[in-house]
Amino acid sequence: MLMPRGAWMDWNTFLGLDYYERASFLKKDNRLFHLLYSQQFNRDFLDYICSLSTAIRRLHKTPDGASFLGNLLSHKLAMLWFKQESSRTYLSFESACQLLGMKTSDIRDPNVSSEVKGESQEDSIQTFSSYFDLIIMRHPCKDFVGKAAWVLNNSRRAVPVINGGSGKDQHPTQALLDIYTLERSFENRVNPGIDGKTIMFVGDLKRGRTVRSLAELMRHYKDVKLIFAAPKHFAPSEDLINLLLHHNVQFRLTRNMHNALKEVDAVYMTRIQDEHDEGGHKSERFFPEFSIGPKEMDLLNENAVVMHPGPRRGELDPAVDNDPRVVFWRQMRNGMWVRAALIAYLFNVDSEIPSKSRFWVP
Ligand code: NCD
């Protein structure tokens, strides 16, 4: 049974809980039911989703494997409700659904839904759940994904909600695909895996939700060191810093990305999130000293990698795309495998995948 059932917890009480506390209300039968926050994941889950993503990726390479996957959820329907711009997240979720045989519908332009006729948010959510088995959503307001899950938990037809990006706050499935990309990037090292690695985040670390969600997950890895290299005004916000301090994650802040390049195992580039500019102020969009091009690649270790959640602008020069250390395009494709793994997990068909044991990497 879903918790909470019934209206015993009002919205404001739910809203008053921190994400760790909310996590227990987003489960069903001891499994994650809604995927809203990075704080819901533990190390076992992270490792498991990586293994499952690899199994799906390998299965999909053969016609038999692809048709096995395509039958897993052919009886399920998914709704993509994206109220903010998206290319990668939208398309990788859509292709992940299709890869598992699900059919999808979407609303990307709120002006074509009954929201413009004055329908309440609660009613819109329940309307969508009437026709679909899964709602994948992106929303500019930080708390709207929580609202959707709360409304559905208190309705007679609760379907899972996946957060595909909520305001400046969270992007948990991006964090999972980033974890998977890091794991794959380090798999052939003498010390494989993320434990013990140094990861530098660069760019708009204040408003980038991918950075917040990924940095939060670093507490699950041993002896990880984080470096935050941001222009003035774009340093990580206090709540992220406090969270890292609370969990004893080692980190330091710097304005000198170049000096730190030689000591990192991965660089996570981000663009300036100028869509969040406030009060008529226009942020500068490009900081050359926080960008990677051929010269910066020369400073990087030979087995370090460069990532970027996309969309990129000047901060990652396409001239370096063919350097094998730049895993930007692989990272993008990983989004599809990881999202397929998450959807298979949510519908409890993941246990059928390991039975194809020759594809399974524990
Ligand atoms: C990111 C996002 O939307 O937060 N993009 C994505 O989902 N891959 C990063 C960004 O927009 O800069």
Side-chain angles (χ1 to χ4, degrees), residues 65-89:
S67 80
F68 163 81
L69 290 169
N71 283 319
L72 278 176
L73 291 173
S74 51
H75 56 303
K76 296 288 183 191
L77 306 174
M79 151 98 188
L80 292 136
W81 187 20
F82 274 56
K83 291 188 75 160
Q84 272 185 311
E85 320 70 46
S86 178
S87 304
R88 274 149 288 269
T89 306

Side-chain angles (χ1 to χ4, degrees), residues 88-89 138 171 174 209-210 271 273 309-311:
R88 274 149 288 269
T89 306
R138 170 171 279 198
H171 200 345
Q174 177 73 41
R209 57 192 171 194
T210 64
R271 70 178 173 90
Q273 310 275 312

Side-chain angles (χ1 to χ4, degrees), residues 26 39 49 68 112 146 187 204 224 231 245 284 291 296 357 360:
L26 304 171
Q39 283 82 344
I49 288 299
F68 163 81
V112 301
E187 70 191 353
D204 188 344
V224 165
L245 289 172
E284 213 163 311
S291 67
E296 289 72 25
S357 57
W360 183 245

